[in-house]
Amino acid sequence: MRDVTPPGGSPGAPPDPADSATAVVDDRGIVTGWSTGAERLLGYPCHEAVGSPVTRLIAPDAGGGRNGLPTLNGPGTTVLLRHRDGRHVEARVRAYPSVDHEGRTQRFIVATPPEQPTPDLVTADEAFAQCRLPVMVYDSALRAVRATAGAVRVLGLSEERMRGRRVTDILPPHLCERIEDGMGRVLATGESERFHVRGRARRDAPEKVWSVTVSPLVTPAGQVRHVEVSALDVTEQYLARERLALLNDISAQVGSTLDVMRTAQEMADVIVGRLADFVTVDLLDSLYRGVEPKPSTTGSVLLRRAAQQSVLPGAPEALIELGDVDDYPEFAPPVRCLATGRSSLHGAQDEAIRNWQRADPERAAIVRRFGIHSIMVIPLRARGITLGVAVLVRHQRQDPFTRDDLLLAEEIGARAAVAVDNARRYTLERGTALALQRSLLPSRLSAQDAVEVGHRYLPARTRAGLGGDWFDVIPLSGARVALVVGDVVGHGLRASATMGRLRTAVRTLADVELPADELLTHLDDLVTHLAAEEDSTADHEPDLEVPTDLVATCLYVVYDPISRRCTAASAGHLPPAVVRPGSPPEFVDVPPGPPLGVGGLPFETAEWELPPGSLLTLYTDGLVQNAGHDLGNGLEELLRCLGHPGSGPLETLCDELVRTLLPARPQDDVALLVARTRAFDADRVATWDLSSDPALVADARAQVLAKLDAWHLPDVAFAAELVVSELVTNAIRYGQPPIRLRLIRGAALICEVSDGSGTAPHLRRARTFDEGGRGLLLVAQLAQRWGTRHHAGGKTIWAEFELTEPDS
C-alpha cells in the first residue's frame, strides 16, 4: 500500500492516520492511498481500494463534486459512504489539498464516524448511596462516614444518625467488639480481613450469620485513611453447613460403644449447644434387657432416662436422674410421639404443653424457672419400631425451633435410633452368648483336699464378642487334683462352643487318669478332628462362612498332696507362676509344646516339688497382655503382685490381680486360677507292702480295721473291709508283685491296691452258677467311686467311701 502521510504539523492538521480512516485521491478521482482505518470502516482491503474510482466508495445519492467527491466545506461534511457489503455508512469527511512527489495535485481524505451522544452516567455517590448491600465507610478514628441503603435497612438507623458514631454506638455489644478490632488491624496493616460474626444486627431482628469484609481505602498517595466494612448475610449457607456438620458428628460419634445408655448419652452430648439447650433421651425399659419393645397397653407410659445434657452445668433442668423411671401421662407429647411415631414442635403456650404442665406442677415449675419457650419431641425409631423419645428444648437461645430444625432433629433421631437398636441387639446377643459360656464353665468347683482355690473369669468388653478362655479344677484319684486353663483363639459363639467341647474332653481324659503329656496329645487330636469337621461343613455348605483356623492353648497341672509334687504339660500356653513360702515368685519352666491344632509334635512334662502353703497361679494371656502393657511388662507386673500374697483369702488376691493388671474395659477374655497347696501328714496315710500269699488277705483286712478304728471311722469299716479283701485278692491272683495297699483319710476314705501288672480289670455279668466274677461288682456297689489308673510300675485300683462323720 502507498504510504499515506498527512501534510505537515500545522494546527489544522488531520488526526493520526493510524487512528482514522484515511485515503489519498489524485486529480483524476482515482484512489492512490488506503489506510487500515479505512479498511476497518468500509471493509475494502487495500488491494481492492487502490486504483479504483473514488465514486465506487460513495453512495449514489451523496452528490458529487470535483473528482467525484462531494463539496467539502468547513471542518467537515457528513457523507454517506458505501460499505463493501452494500450497506451505507455515515461518516464525517474532511479533504486536505496536497501534492505528490512529482508535484501533481491530490487530496488527503479523512473520514470518521459521527460522534455518539455521551450517556447519562450515574455518579459514584449515587451508586454508593443506593447500594442494597450493607456497606459502611469509617475514618481513621473508627467513626462512620457513609452508609449504603442496605446498611440503613439492616441496622434500622438513617445515615444521618449513624454518621460520626463508632461501631460500639451502632451494633449490639456481642458484634461490635470483633468488627472494631478488625477495623483497627486493617488501618494499621493495610491488609483486608474477612471473618464471620453471628448475632442480631438490632434488638428486634432475628439472629443471623454475617460474612464481614473489612477493606482499606487508599489515597493516591498510598495512605489508608478510611476503611470499608461490608456485611453479607450467609445465614442459610452457614446453617446448612452447620446441619451437615452436626449430622456428620452424629454418624461419627454416636454408637462408638454397644452400650444402650452410653449410645443415648453420646447423642445428647452432640446435640446440646449446637441445636438445643437441654436434651433428654428416654427409652422403653425392655431395651436395657435387650428385649424388643412392645406397645404399652396402659394409658400412661413408663420410660427410663437413658441420657440428659444441658448447656448449664449439672443439667439443673432435669427432674430425674439417669437410670430413673419417668411416668408420662397419656396426653403428654412424648406418649403421643411413642404411639404415632411422629415428631412434634411446640411452643411453651401450646395447648398440649399447658395440659402437660397442669398435670405435672413440678415440670411446670422447671419451664417457668428456666424460661423454656420452644420444645421438640422426636421419636427414636429403627426397623419400624419406636424405641423411645428425645425431648429437645431451648431457653438460652431466643430463637424458637423452626421446621428446618425439626427435620434435622428427625434425621438425628433416626441415625441415633439405629445405634441404640444395634446396642440393644448386641446386649441381647451378648447376654445369650454369656449365658452359653457360663453354662460351659464350672458353676462351682468340685470339692477336693489337695488345694484351696480362688478363680476369676472376665469376659471381653468389645464388639468382637466373647472369647474361648476357660479354667477347671478336676479331682483325681489318690486325693490328687488337676488344675487346667485354656484359650481358644478368636471370639464369638464358635470360640465359646469350642471351649465347651475342649473342657468336656479334658474332664473325660482326666477321668481315665492319663498322664499330662498324653492328655494333651489326645486333646490335640480332638482339635485336629474338629477343624476337619469344619472344613467338611464349609465344603458341603459353601454359602455358610465357616472359619477353619481352629487353634487353642492349654496348660494342664496335676498336684499330689501326699508326695507334694506337681506335674505339668503345656500346649503353647503361658507358664504357671509359683510362690513358695519365704521365696520370691517365679515362673516354672514348663516345656512350651505346640498349640492344640498344630498336630504331629510331642508334648513334654515338667515336675517339681511344692511345700504346703505354696501358691500356684494359672492364667490366660488376657491378664498380662492388654492395652495397658505388653506381654513382657505384664508378666513382670504379675510377679510383682504375687510378691506379697500373704495368707489371706485367695478371692481377695484374685481381686487385687484383676484390679492391678486389667484396664477398665478388657479387650480380651481373662481366666485366672490361683491355688494354695495343702499336704497330707503321715498320720492321714497308711501304707502296707504285701506279698503274693493268699493267706495274707486276712492280715490285710485286720490291719485296715485297726487303722480305721484308730481314725475313728467305724461307719465305713464294714464296706472298706470287704472292698480291701476283694482288691487284695484280685491283685494276688491276677496281678504281679510288688503289691501295695494304701489308705488315705481325707474328705473321703480312699482305698488303693497297686500291683506290677498293666492289665486293667473290668466289670462283667456273672451267671447264676459262676463261682467268680462278682468281686468288682461288689466293689462298685459298696464304694462311692472306684477306678483304675496306670503308671510306669503297673496299675492301681482305687475306691472311695463317703465319710458321714466329721473328720476328727
Side-chain angles (χ1 to χ4, degrees):
M1 171 182 171
R2 181 180 174 186
D3 186 19
V4 179
T5 305
S10 64
D16 185 352
D19 297 325
S20 304
T22 60
V24 178
V25 181
D26 63 12
D27 58 354
R28 295 175 300 159
I30 302 300
V31 177
T32 60
W34 192 254
S35 71
T36 57
E39 182 178 348
R40 285 195 301 269
L41 180 64
L42 298 180
Y44 292 98
C46 179
H47 68 275
E48 290 186 13
V50 174
S52 64
V54 71
T55 55
R56 179 185 176 190
L57 307 176
I58 301 173
D61 55 352
R66 184 173 178 270
N67 299 329
L69 287 172
T71 302
L72 302 177
N73 297 317
T77 303
T78 301
V79 178
L80 287 178
L81 303 178
R82 183 164 53 192
H83 196 274
R84 187 170 184 264
D85 60 9
R87 59 187 172 88
H88 293 171
V89 177
E90 186 179 53
R92 297 281 294 175
V93 177
R94 287 173 289 177
Y96 300 91
S98 65
V99 296
D100 61 11
H101 63 284
E102 295 180 356
R104 291 192 296 268
T105 302
Q106 64 180 13
R107 307 190 93 181
F108 186 82
I109 310 299
V110 179
T112 58
E115 295 182 359
Q116 298 297 324
T118 304
D120 185 12
L121 298 177
V122 177
T123 66
D125 284 346
E126 291 173 331
F128 183 87
Q130 297 177 38
C131 178
R132 303 302 295 172
L133 293 176
V135 181
M136 295 189 68
V137 176
Y138 289 84
D139 60 19
S140 59
L142 303 183
R143 298 187 180 279
V145 177
R146 295 296 308 275
T148 64
V152 170
R153 172 177 50 82
V154 170
L155 298 174
L157 297 172
S158 66
E159 185 178 13
E160 290 74 16
R161 292 186 61 185
M162 289 187 284
R163 187 175 291 120
R165 293 188 179 186
R166 294 175 67 95
V167 178
T168 52
D169 301 325
I170 299 174
L171 293 176
H174 59 279
L175 293 179
C176 62
E177 182 176 349
R178 186 173 183 189
I179 295 177
E180 193 166 76
D181 288 345
M183 292 165 58
R185 289 191 299 271
V186 172
L187 282 169
T189 64
E191 300 291 335
S192 298
E193 287 195 11
R194 183 178 179 183
F195 48 85
H196 288 82
V197 295
R198 182 172 185 167
R200 292 175 171 81
R202 59 179 189 269
R203 293 183 182 277
D204 58 343
E207 184 179 73
K208 291 189 175 183
V209 180
W210 305 91
S211 176
V212 177
T213 302
V214 183
S215 305
L217 298 180
V218 184
T219 66
Q223 296 179 337
V224 180
R225 292 183 178 177
H226 295 80
V227 292
E228 179 187 84
V229 180
S230 62
L232 184 63
D233 182 1
V234 294
T235 305
E236 290 301 322
Q237 299 93 318
Y238 182 86
L239 292 180
R241 287 195 300 268
E242 195 175 55
R243 292 185 179 108
L244 287 175
L246 180 55
L247 287 175
N248 181 68
D249 289 345
I250 287 290
S251 299
Q253 300 177 27
V254 176
S256 62
T257 67
L258 288 173
D259 178 82
V260 171
M261 292 192 67
R262 181 58 195 160
T263 300
Q265 188 62 50
E266 288 170 344
M267 170 188 171
D269 292 343
V270 174
I271 292 176
V272 163
R274 301 172 69 176
L275 180 61
D277 298 325
F278 176 61
V279 176
T280 63
V281 181
D282 296 327
L283 301 175
L284 293 167
D285 195 52
S286 59
L287 287 174
Y288 297 89
R289 303 187 303 274
V291 180
E292 187 171 290
K294 296 181 180 179
S296 174
T297 57
T298 60
S300 61
V301 175
L302 297 177
L303 295 175
R304 191 172 297 277
R305 180 63 47 85
Q308 56 192 20
Q309 188 58 277
S310 171
V311 294
L312 303 177
E317 309 97 321
L319 290 173
I320 60 175
E321 298 296 327
L322 290 178
D324 292 346
V325 173
D326 204 349
D327 188 358
Y328 290 94
E330 181 179 5
F331 51 81
V335 176
R336 301 285 298 171
C337 178
L338 277 174
T340 63
R342 293 193 294 270
S343 58
S344 57
L345 177 61
H346 306 275
Q349 300 304 316
D350 287 1
E351 182 179 358
I353 300 299
R354 292 202 307 270
N355 291 339
W356 191 10
Q357 293 183 63
R358 280 194 292 268
D360 191 343
E362 189 176 1
R363 199 178 303 272
I366 289 292
V367 172
R368 291 191 299 270
R369 176 185 170 189
F370 293 98
I372 294 174
H373 61 86
S374 190
I375 303 166
M376 289 192 295
V377 182
I378 308 299
L380 301 182
R381 288 177 59 81
R383 298 184 301 110
I385 302 172
T386 304
L387 311 174
V389 293
V391 179
L392 290 70
V393 304
R394 280 184 178 175
H395 53 72
Q396 297 291 301
R397 296 170 66 171
Q398 298 180 16
D399 293 337
F401 290 118
T402 65
R403 285 291 169 184
D404 287 341
D405 294 329
L406 186 66
L407 293 175
L408 175 62
E410 289 175 344
E411 181 65 23
I412 291 173
R415 297 190 184 193
V418 172
V420 170
D421 189 55
N422 288 340
R424 191 269 309 172
R425 298 171 71 180
Y426 171 76
T427 299
L428 179 62
E429 292 174 5
R430 176 178 171 80
T432 302
L434 192 57
L436 169 64
Q437 190 173 47
R438 293 198 180 280
S439 70
L440 299 174
L441 290 169
S443 57
R444 62 182 182 85
L445 299 180
S446 303
Q448 43 77 37
D449 296 325
V451 293
E452 174 192 356
V453 174
H455 60 88
R456 287 290 180 274
Y457 172 75
L458 286 83
R461 308 288 262 172
T462 65
R463 299 187 183 189
L466 302 176
D469 294 21
W470 91 92
F471 67 92
D472 210 344
V473 178
I474 307 172
L476 302 177
S477 63
R480 298 170 304 137
V481 66
L483 306 175
V484 191
V485 291
D487 183 4
V488 178
V489 176
H491 293 82
L493 290 177
R494 172 178 177 261
S496 297
T498 303
M499 174 271 290
R501 299 171 80 172
L502 293 183
R503 176 175 174 263
T504 301
V506 170
R507 277 194 160 263
T508 302
L509 295 171
D511 282 344
V512 298
E513 302 284 354
L514 288 179
D517 53 346
E518 292 185 27
L519 183 143
L520 292 183
T521 299
H522 286 283
L523 203 60
D524 182 49
D525 292 340
L526 172 63
V527 173
T528 302
H529 293 155
L530 291 177
E533 289 179 2
E534 292 186 350
D535 283 339
S536 176
T537 301
D539 292 339
H540 289 85
E541 300 183 43
D543 294 335
L544 182 64
E545 185 175 349
V546 180
T548 57
D549 52 340
L550 184 57
V551 178
T553 65
C554 182
L555 176 64
Y556 186 81
V557 180
V558 176
Y559 173 67
D560 187 343
I562 299 176
S563 66
R564 304 175 186 179
R565 298 193 66 80
C566 271
T567 304
S570 172
H573 203 85
L574 294 172
V578 171
V579 185
R580 296 177 175 85
S583 300
E586 61 180 347
F587 291 112
V588 179
D589 185 16
V590 180
L596 302 175
V598 174
L601 297 175
F603 298 96
E604 300 180 32
T605 59
E607 189 172 343
W608 67 95
E609 187 173 347
L610 285 180
S614 297
L615 279 183
L616 187 60
T617 304
L618 287 70
Y619 51 92
T620 56
D621 59 354
L623 182 70
V624 293
Q625 185 176 17
N626 50 58
H629 41 69
D630 58 22
L631 180 59
N633 292 333
L635 292 173
E636 292 178 3
E637 187 68 15
L638 174 60
L639 291 183
R640 189 190 65 78
C641 295
L642 293 173
H644 305 283
S647 58
L650 294 182
E651 296 297 325
T652 303
L653 177 59
C654 289
D655 290 337
E656 178 65 23
L657 292 174
V658 168
R659 183 168 53 252
T660 304
L661 295 171
L662 292 182
R665 300 180 65 83
Q667 302 298 301
D668 195 5
D669 285 19
V670 174
L672 172 65
L673 187 61
V674 181
R676 181 178 287 127
T677 62
R678 299 177 179 134
F680 279 36
D681 297 332
D683 60 350
R684 300 178 64 183
V685 180
T687 305
W688 297 275
D689 292 324
L690 305 177
S691 65
S692 299
D693 185 359
L696 296 178
V697 174
D699 292 339
R701 289 199 302 267
Q703 289 174 329
V704 167
L705 290 175
K707 179 55 71 174
L708 294 180
D709 183 61
W711 284 345
H712 306 288
L713 300 176
D715 292 341
V716 296
F718 176 74
E721 180 186 10
L722 291 179
V723 168
V724 167
S725 178
E726 288 297 330
L727 295 182
V728 171
T729 300
N730 284 344
I732 293 174
R733 182 176 300 175
Y734 304 110
Q736 297 178 4
I739 299 173
R740 174 173 293 180
L741 169 63
R742 184 169 72 167
L743 294 183
I744 304 171
R745 187 192 65 177
L749 177 66
I750 303 172
C751 298
E752 296 182 344
V753 176
S754 304
D755 68 82
S757 171
T759 304
H762 59 277
L763 283 174
R764 64 184 180 88
R765 181 181 297 276
R767 294 178 173 82
T768 304
F769 299 104
D770 287 349
E771 296 182 0
R774 297 178 178 84
L776 290 181
L777 179 62
L778 179 64
V779 172
Q781 295 297 318
L782 294 175
Q784 183 183 8
R785 293 196 312 150
W786 77 281
T788 303
R789 69 174 181 268
H790 293 267
H791 45 79
K795 67 175 182 300
T796 298
I797 303 176
W798 54 270
E800 287 187 6
F801 302 92
E802 184 178 2
L803 297 179
T804 57
E805 294 295 329
D807 187 15
S808 56

